[in-house]
Amino acid sequence: MLDKTFNPGEVEGRIYAEWERSGAFRAGRRPDAKPFSIVIPPPNVTGRLHIGHALNNTLQDALARFERMRGKDVLWQPGMDHAGIATQLVVERQLAEKQQSRVGLGREKFLEEVWRWKNESGGAITQQLRRLGASADWSRERFTMDDGLSRAVVKVFVELYKQNLIYKDKRLVNWDPRLQTAVSDLEVENIEMKGHLWYLKYRIDGQMGRFITVATTRPETMLGDVAVAVHPDDERYKDLIGKFAILPLANRRIPIIADEYSDPEKGTGAVKITPGHDFNDFEVGKRHNLPVLNILNKDGTLNDTVPEAYRGLDRFVARKTIVGDLEAVELLDKVEPITHAVPHDEKTKTVVLEPMMTEQWYLNVQPLADKAIKAVEDGRTKFVPDNWTGVYFNWMRNIHPWCISRQLWWGHQIPVWYGPKKVVEQELRAYPFKEFVAQTEDEARKEAETYYGAKVRFVSQDENFDHALTSWSIEYKEKRESVVPLRRDPDVLDTWFSSALWAFSTLGWPDETPELKRFYPTSVLVTGFDIIFFWVARMMMMSLWFMPDVPFKTVFIHTRVLDEKGVKMSKTKGNVVDPLDLIDEYGADALRFTLALAAGQGRDMRIGPSRVEVNRNFATKLWNATRFCEINGCETVADFDPAKVTLTPNQWIVTETAATARELTTKLEALRFNEAASAAYHFIYDVFCDWYLEIAKPIFNGSDEKAKAETRATAAWARDTIFQLLHPLMPFITEELWARTAVMPRASMLIEGPWPKLDALPKFEDASRAMNWVIDLVKGVRSVRAEMNVPPSAKIALVLKDADAASKATLAANSDVILTLARLSSADVADVLPKGSAQFVLGEATVGLPLGDVIDFAKERARLEKELKKAEEEIDRIDAKLSNEQFVSRAPEDVLTEQREKRAEYAATATRLKEAVARLA
RNA sequence: GGGCGCGUAGCUCAGCGGGAGAGCACUUCCUUGACAUGGAAGGGGUCACAGGUUCGAUCCCUGUCGCGCCCACCA
């Protein structure tokens, strides 16, 4: 016997363990079936499940379960991302607690620490995904730093290098002075901040008392100025072009140049040019062959190119000092407060980034992007909803080289080794280096030894390479036996480089594995729009470059989750809803269903406890409906054929169940999760519980054993079908009930399917018509009872007048049901309605409820007249249409017919209502 | 500056060319043997605004206003 309520806490862990033990999640168990595959957007190894993950994985799981039930061979490929910066920071923070540091430990020891952390505390999120019910094939779990995936990364790097698509370049990057690494443009977040616009006066060389004023938000960068630019047509400055300004504090002469970059409308119309620390200025500098002056050290302090007074000062300290010093010599014209966007690191949003000249590795993605664009143009990959296609194209068509190197330790180290340029006496210089790009250290050694004709020695990351080179060159000069030092590039690759390969690297590439053959391209990618550029676009590019086909046929972009007030969740705002709390409180099914229901296309969703509670109630409803079936002996009949039921209510529920099965199938196929969920919700609540089970009650309480047996079997069938249909969205409760309602042990767990066979589901149209009539009749009676204040306990009589044969037959055949649901003492057919009847019109018939003294004539008249007015308004509206010649001549025939039929119906209703009113008198 | 999306019941949202829908909230009634985490009956909307297309517009087009987001720029 089932308890009164479902207790998810007791059930979920057990059921999940059973699924896992049974091997149901495993891919490849159905070699003859069609494959269906999804790769998970790999969560960070440092990650904890947030509501966005919960949504993302609920949708993936729903699809995996749906297709698995339909008999496909499903691979849901799980795994995690090594998350370079995030992970390195976590471990560094832990070290700091032990008074240790990354640098103090050295690279090798530090990496050991990271791995230890990963093995001990990393990947908590995979356990949390299990709590959500994720049916991923955990036996195939991958990590971006696995041996296999690392091999893929190196191979891709080497090949792209050989294709001259990967190269080193010295240019401006966004630099993070705290982590001391480059970050890609995508990782920059511009934050609006209050700041100042300082107006600096530069003296004109040779023109006493004349100044040119420039405005800047970063006055410290003036020490890196190499020119002042004015617009060639700007009359104010025309005569200064070609002259020189004296850069204050540094006392350098810098040229005043003409360049269209300067906008006479902005600032003073004259702009300082700092190619070393500004992206636009860099371009201007290139056009005018100006030098690039880098005034910053990697930690953001000022370097030795600036006057001694400022050396070693942090950039923000230097800003204050410089402004003060300029003011002191009266070269600060004015200061204006402004708000402007300041580049910050996207991760913490606390560090202000600096454009800085550094040498980095770049990937020329243009040729890759061309293929990725083509694939979407050709429809080989489709975005759903498709408005994201434009976003994708826009980015792809304006793509820039991708800065792929990061000055971190945790990640895929770049497979490039450096040795001295040449081993000839005249060129014992260490620079420039000779590069060896190889897939393994051995390969690099071989190449280097061939090149040098000598043995090589690998210099570790913690050793001083310059020192090694120096001593080597001394040894070489002195013709002593020596080995050539070789050191690997210390940088690692951007984390997204390895995730870009995820769709094929997780399947075993570069090996030609059976999984790669079977499950690539994957069926659908489910992800949020925030990583279209970071991840989706790059997977498209890398996959198409190294594989013969697209990585996925469909990209489903789901909405973003906001809190209940519609505010983006963030730790600092303290409005984060923890999905695990929701699971604890309401159960995973309730959370999943809530997320699915909110997953409409193209809009943010708001999630909070009150929403989840509603669906916990829904789970309770399903549970109790099942309990009702159990109490009434509804047992699954093994060879039950829904096409053979004979009772009207049973034929009706079979038809309704079939319609729901078809609808859910269609909606899930179309990735319309919210529509699938609401169809299930509506069917279970409104159709199955509120009507069918209520209809079944009098049958169960009656004496017709044959009817009882058929209804029990039908109810059990409908209930079992509900379990099947709901399983993708509410896997735990359905699996539990599937087992608990089994008479004989079930052939398999629900997770294995089957999905209802749509072709075998019948449609009983007569039964549907009849039951809709019964429902309308009962609703009409209930409505009158409520409005006339008839006590719920009072049984009243019903008289049906002017009914046609079908209605009479339906009434007769379902009288028990009608008497019970409408709480009637009798239901008869008559030619005349008794005096004192409340009345309502039902189709061609009029229903009378003789209330005797209870009836309030004034109220009844008002009620009927209100109905009549409604009907007459409808008639007028339709008449207005039908009398419009344009409408009659241009509207399609079926619309016309429909309108005419409607008019007739309303007219008939109106006539009967008028008669009813007349009868009152 | 370019782009995308959104303004529908008090709230959250679905619908998107021919009768305005759901959940929550609200009102009234019901502690009837599945479920009060429940049931029944109700009230509530010139579908942001203005034009246009159409026989017909909440739905399509244009514009306006308001809100949100993305990209670029920011002396």
Side-chain angles (χ1 to χ4, degrees):
Chain A
M1 177 74 178
L2 294 174
D3 294 338
K4 263 182 128 173
T5 54
F6 172 53
N7 186 343
E10 264 173 35
V11 171
E12 290 175 355
R14 170 169 51 77
I15 298 256
Y16 197 87
E18 281 172 35
W19 285 332
E20 249 189 318
R21 204 178 314 122
S22 76
F25 301 167
R26 286 276 179 84
R29 292 179 314 142
R30 295 167 174 168
D32 300 328
K34 272 189 175 169
F36 178 86
S37 53
I38 300 183
V39 290
I40 198 171
N44 287 353
V45 63
T46 53
R48 284 188 53 84
L49 189 79
H50 59 63
I51 196 92
H53 291 123
L55 167 65
N56 178 248
N57 288 286
T58 291
L59 302 185
Q60 291 176 74
D61 192 52
L63 291 176
R65 287 178 186 271
F66 172 54
E67 298 294 0
R68 194 183 288 119
M69 289 179 81
R70 293 216 287 180
K72 291 195 185 158
D73 187 11
V74 171
L75 167 63
W76 182 12
Q77 172 64 52
M80 284 187 294
D81 194 285
H82 65 278
I85 292 176
T87 309
Q88 182 161 323
L89 283 177
V90 166
V91 177
E92 283 196 68
R93 215 171 297 136
Q94 284 200 341
L95 286 175
E97 279 169 21
K98 294 187 283 183
Q99 320 298 328
Q100 288 178 307
S101 75
R102 172 170 64 97
V103 179
L105 228 51
R107 185 163 188 147
E108 273 177 45
K109 282 253 160 55
F110 177 75
L111 289 179
E112 281 172 24
E113 282 294 319
V114 182
W115 277 109
R116 185 177 318 145
W117 177 87
K118 191 256 170 188
N119 293 329
E120 286 170 8
S121 340
I125 197 165
T126 61
Q127 292 307 322
Q128 298 170 334
L129 286 171
R130 287 174 166 91
R131 291 217 45 207
L132 189 69
S135 64
D137 184 352
W138 298 107
S139 70
R140 296 188 44 83
E141 186 178 345
R142 295 291 185 272
F143 181 53
T144 46
M145 292 272 284
D146 278 351
D147 288 344
L149 272 67
S150 300
R151 203 150 52 84
V153 167
V154 169
K155 186 176 167 72
V156 163
F157 184 98
V158 172
E159 290 200 5
L160 290 170
Y161 178 89
K162 287 185 177 153
Q163 292 160 8
N164 290 320
L165 293 171
I166 284 183
Y167 56 94
K168 249 186 164 175
D169 198 5
K170 196 166 184 186
R171 48 194 288 181
L172 281 184
V173 295
N174 287 294
W175 183 260
D176 181 332
R178 185 185 51 154
L179 291 169
Q180 302 190 26
T181 180
V183 299
S184 83
D185 298 349
L186 276 177
E187 290 163 283
V188 177
E189 177 153 329
N190 291 307
I191 302 178
E192 285 287 330
M193 294 183 82
K194 285 196 173 115
H196 295 91
L197 198 54
W198 283 274
Y199 288 80
L200 316 181
K201 289 160 72 180
Y202 295 177
R203 239 184 285 282
I204 305 297
D205 192 25
Q207 298 195 19
M208 278 300 278
R210 192 151 177 220
F211 300 92
I212 187 161
T213 305
V214 295
T216 178
T217 53
R218 295 182 298 154
E220 71 282 4
T221 61
M222 57 89 56
L223 294 174
D225 285 4
V226 295
V228 173
V230 298
H231 196 273
D233 302 331
D234 193 334
E235 292 301 332
R236 292 170 293 179
Y237 303 114
K238 236 173 180 165
D239 66 311
L240 290 177
I241 294 167
K243 303 277 194 310
F244 287 82
I246 304 294
L247 190 66
L249 309 181
N251 277 319
R252 274 191 285 116
R253 267 177 99 234
I254 56 174
I256 296 167
I257 58 171
D259 194 287
E260 302 207 332
Y261 165 64
S262 21
D263 181 349
E265 307 289 312
K266 282 189 193 166
T268 60
V271 58
K272 62 197 274 300
I273 299 297
T274 321
H277 297 285
D278 184 286
F279 290 96
N280 287 313
D281 294 5
F282 181 79
E283 295 301 319
V284 176
K286 250 182 16 195
R287 286 200 283 275
H288 297 269
N289 278 319
L290 297 168
V292 176
L293 221 61
N294 179 16
I295 63 163
L296 291 176
N297 293 309
K298 294 194 167 169
D299 62 357
T301 58
L302 269 59
N303 67 19
D304 291 353
T305 59
V306 305
E308 217 168 323
Y310 308 110
R311 285 178 199 167
L313 294 184
D314 179 79
R315 52 201 164 132
F316 297 114
V317 177
R319 178 173 300 175
K320 274 191 182 152
T321 313
I322 286 167
V323 168
D325 291 354
L326 286 170
E327 201 169 11
V329 294
E330 292 180 354
L331 289 176
L332 182 68
D333 186 42
K334 60 175 172 174
V335 188
E336 286 173 356
I338 56 158
T339 51
H340 61 135
V342 180
H344 283 73
D345 72 301
E346 192 200 44
K347 288 270 184 313
T348 66
K349 298 180 182 163
T350 55
V351 180
V352 175
L353 303 178
E354 295 289 340
M356 186 125 86
M357 282 299 284
T358 57
E359 190 169 51
Q360 301 287 346
W361 288 99
Y362 288 89
L363 169 57
N364 173 13
V365 281
Q366 194 60 60
L368 285 69
D370 292 342
K371 290 187 118 179
I373 291 166
K374 189 87 182 4
V376 175
E377 280 174 346
D378 295 350
R380 282 182 288 146
T381 293
K382 281 203 301 277
F383 280 82
V384 177
D386 79 339
N387 52 295
W388 295 107
T389 313
V391 175
Y392 171 86
F393 280 141
N394 186 45
W395 191 73
M396 278 291 194
R397 287 173 179 149
N398 296 292
I399 202 157
H400 298 292
W402 175 12
C403 176
I404 54 173
S405 47
R406 295 290 182 277
Q407 286 64 53
L408 304 174
W409 287 357
W410 175 241
H412 299 98
Q413 195 171 351
I414 288 172
V416 176
W417 284 261
Y418 302 106
K421 184 73 177 168
K422 274 182 186 162
V423 188
V424 289
E425 210 143 343
Q426 292 78 9
E427 294 192 40
L428 284 176
R429 295 177 300 117
Y431 305 93
F433 296 126
K434 164 70 185 167
E435 287 170 10
F436 300 94
V437 177
Q439 310 220 8
T440 61
E441 199 173 77
D442 269 355
E443 213 175 280
R445 176 197 300 277
K446 272 180 210 141
E447 275 187 33
E449 290 185 345
T450 310
Y451 178 82
Y452 294 120
K455 288 256 175 250
V456 303
R457 164 176 92 79
F458 287 102
V459 174
S460 90
Q461 297 295 315
D462 299 323
E463 243 176 281
N464 184 328
F465 188 43
D466 287 343
H467 187 260
L469 280 171
T470 313
S471 46
W472 164 78
S473 53
I474 293 167
E475 283 175 12
Y476 187 81
K477 217 170 204 169
E478 293 174 0
K479 301 279 191 247
R480 276 187 269 157
E481 195 65 32
S482 75
V483 288
V484 182
L486 211 59
R487 192 182 73 148
R488 188 162 181 179
D489 191 309
D491 291 354
V492 299
L493 289 166
D494 181 3
T495 299
W496 295 103
F497 192 92
S498 53
S499 2
L501 318 181
W502 191 247
F504 54 98
S505 66
T506 51
L507 296 175
W509 190 91
D511 298 333
E512 285 183 25
T513 59
E515 289 84 359
L516 192 62
K517 220 174 152 188
R518 181 155 175 78
F519 293 110
Y520 190 95
T522 63
S523 312
V524 55
L525 182 78
V526 178
T527 193
F529 63 80
D530 50 330
I531 53 174
I532 290 180
F533 305 144
F534 278 112
W535 193 49
V536 180
R538 282 156 176 182
M539 272 201 289
M540 287 294 289
M541 292 194 286
M542 286 295 204
S543 301
L544 283 160
W545 200 253
F546 288 96
M547 297 292 293
D549 203 349
V550 294
F552 22 75
K553 294 169 200 151
T554 300
V555 182
F556 180 69
I557 302 291
H558 57 67
T559 54
R560 193 177 44 159
V561 187
L562 305 176
D563 76 1
E564 269 178 312
K565 290 176 194 142
V567 180
K568 200 169 163 179
M569 294 186 196
S570 77
K571 278 184 194 150
T572 47
K573 282 185 203 128
N575 63 343
V576 177
V577 177
D578 186 342
L580 296 168
D581 290 347
L582 294 172
I583 290 174
D584 288 341
E585 180 75 24
Y586 303 109
D589 291 324
L591 174 62
R592 292 168 59 112
F593 201 75
T594 306
L595 291 166
L597 213 40
Q601 309 211 342
R603 195 201 274 253
D604 294 333
M605 64 168 78
R606 303 185 181 192
I607 295 294
S610 67
R611 271 151 222 285
V612 185
E613 194 183 347
V614 170
N615 294 308
R616 187 273 316 266
N617 296 351
F618 174 56
T620 307
K621 188 75 183 174
L622 176 65
W623 184 267
N624 276 290
T626 306
R627 189 159 173 263
F628 174 84
C629 292
E630 186 185 37
I631 289 166
N632 288 286
C634 306
E635 294 179 349
T636 305
V637 173
D639 53 355
F640 180 80
D641 182 353
K644 296 214 172 110
V645 298
T646 58
L647 264 53
T648 306
N650 291 337
Q651 292 187 334
W652 169 72
I653 196 64
V654 161
T655 307
E656 290 290 318
T657 307
T660 306
R662 279 187 267 270
E663 184 169 12
L664 246 80
T665 305
T666 313
K667 298 303 187 187
L668 286 176
E669 280 173 345
L671 305 171
R672 303 217 165 223
F673 298 97
N674 58 326
E675 292 175 19
S678 58
Y681 187 94
H682 166 254
F683 174 68
I684 290 166
Y685 251 106
D686 303 341
V687 178
F688 187 68
C689 292
D690 288 349
W691 286 106
Y692 182 66
L693 294 185
E694 294 301 326
I695 288 166
K697 277 179 188 175
I699 298 175
F700 291 147
N701 293 334
S703 53
D704 185 342
E705 292 304 323
K706 219 179 138 194
K708 260 191 233 187
E710 185 188 283
T711 304
R712 281 183 182 137
T714 309
W717 171 84
R719 177 204 63 197
D720 288 353
T721 307
I722 286 171
F723 296 157
Q724 292 171 327
L725 294 175
L726 208 51
H727 182 77
L729 295 172
M730 297 188 117
F732 291 108
I733 190 174
T734 51
E735 188 73 81
E736 173 71 1
L737 289 173
W738 180 254
R740 296 279 290 270
T741 53
V743 192
M744 303 290 287
R746 303 275 190 181
S748 66
M749 279 197 285
L750 187 53
I751 189 174
E752 303 277 12
W755 188 254
K757 305 261 176 303
L758 303 181
D759 297 343
L761 295 175
K763 237 188 209 170
F764 295 102
E765 280 168 16
D766 290 346
S768 287
R769 215 170 296 124
M771 283 314 296
N772 286 330
W773 186 85
V774 169
I775 288 170
D776 286 344
L777 177 66
V778 170
K779 279 185 161 177
V781 175
R782 283 173 175 172
S783 188
V784 170
R785 293 180 64 119
E787 284 184 51
M788 291 290 122
N789 296 318
V790 177
S793 54
K795 291 204 171 182
I796 56 175
L798 177 145
V799 180
L800 191 62
K801 181 179 162 344
D802 301 337
D804 62 17
S807 299
K808 284 179 190 165
T810 305
L811 178 68
N814 298 281
S815 65
D816 280 357
V817 165
I818 292 167
L819 293 181
T820 308
L821 295 191
R823 298 196 67 76
L824 300 173
S825 54
S826 61
D828 301 305
V829 175
D831 294 333
V832 189
L833 295 181
K835 280 266 179 217
S837 286
Q839 306 163 68
F840 66 93
V841 172
L842 180 64
E844 77 297 334
T846 302
V847 178
L849 300 168
L851 297 177
D853 298 340
V854 181
I855 195 162
D856 177 337
F857 282 98
K859 212 170 171 186
E860 173 66 1
R861 179 185 296 276
R863 204 177 58 81
L864 288 172
E865 279 174 349
K866 195 175 144 200
E867 291 295 315
L868 179 59
K869 198 179 152 213
K870 248 201 291 192
E872 282 172 341
E873 277 169 5
E874 289 296 326
I875 292 168
D876 288 348
R877 209 173 49 81
I878 296 171
D879 280 348
K881 271 191 192 181
L882 288 172
S883 61
N884 180 343
E885 263 178 56
Q886 299 279 11
F887 175 70
V888 178
S889 59
R890 299 207 189 188
E893 198 53 47
D894 56 325
V895 173
L896 278 172
T897 313
E898 202 188 325
Q899 295 292 323
R900 287 191 182 118
E901 281 170 3
K902 266 185 204 165
R903 198 211 177 274
E905 276 173 36
Y906 281 118
T909 303
T911 308
R912 291 189 187 98
L913 282 167
K914 276 181 203 154
E915 287 167 10
V917 172
R919 233 172 269 132
L920 272 181

